[in-house]
Amino acid sequence: MPTKHRIYTMPVANVYPYYVSKAEKKGRTKAEVDAILCWLTGYTPKGLAQQLKAKTDFETFFAKAPKMNPKRKLVTGVVCGVRVEDIKEPTMREIRYLDKLVDELAKGKAMEKILRET
């Protein structure tokens, strides 16, 4: 049996500051990063804060997400040299969806487009 990728056991709270920093460097906000995380997973802002405080790992964070947004499958493109839509492993695909959404935010894309509202 192959070993799990180490990102699965890493607390989301350890990576979250990097998402926020990446966004803020480009003039975006922590609130927008939070909105993306809540949109993707169905966590409320309070629920997201609880997950971060509890240092929930990525695998559990996505497995216990209240309601993964069905529109996340509209997220396509390349992250870390890999096409998001081609990733077979479900947890890794969810992590890469998040990475791609934060990338779009940092690149200045409008929130409506990031959240696939238009």
Side-chain angles (χ1 to χ4, degrees):
M1 181 171 172
T3 43
K4 287 184 191 178
H5 194 284
R6 67 183 180 161
I7 189 75
Y8 293 6
T9 58
M10 186 176 297
V12 176
N14 288 10
V15 180
Y16 176 78
Y18 296 103
Y19 291 140
V20 173
S21 175
K22 182 175 189 169
E24 288 179 342
K25 282 181 193 173
K26 299 294 185 166
R28 303 309 285 260
T29 66
K30 175 185 174 295
E32 289 174 310
V33 173
D34 290 354
I36 287 170
L37 276 156
C38 292
W39 174 87
L40 180 64
T41 61
Y43 286 110
T44 63
K46 183 178 178 183
L48 173 60
Q50 289 171 339
Q51 293 300 313
L52 294 172
K53 185 177 180 188
K55 297 208 175 281
T56 305
D57 63 66
F58 272 98
E59 188 170 40
T60 306
F61 180 78
F62 285 113
K64 303 260 177 163
K67 184 176 186 332
M68 294 302 292
N69 194 313
K71 288 187 177 181
R72 73 190 187 286
K73 294 191 166 112
L74 300 174
V75 176
T76 59
V78 177
V79 175
C80 299
V82 179
R83 287 210 145 277
V84 176
E85 59 270 29
D86 293 343
I87 298 171
K88 301 289 183 232
E89 205 292 308
T91 303
M92 184 59 77
R93 189 172 50 245
E94 302 302 346
I95 293 167
R96 294 304 182 198
Y97 282 148
L98 176 57
D99 291 344
K100 183 66 177 167
L101 292 168
V102 173
D103 281 354
E104 290 176 359
L105 180 68
K107 288 179 181 170
K109 204 170 192 183
M111 281 299 286
E112 300 81 39
K113 292 192 183 283
I114 293 169
L115 303 182
R116 301 334 194 237
E117 293 173 0
T118 57

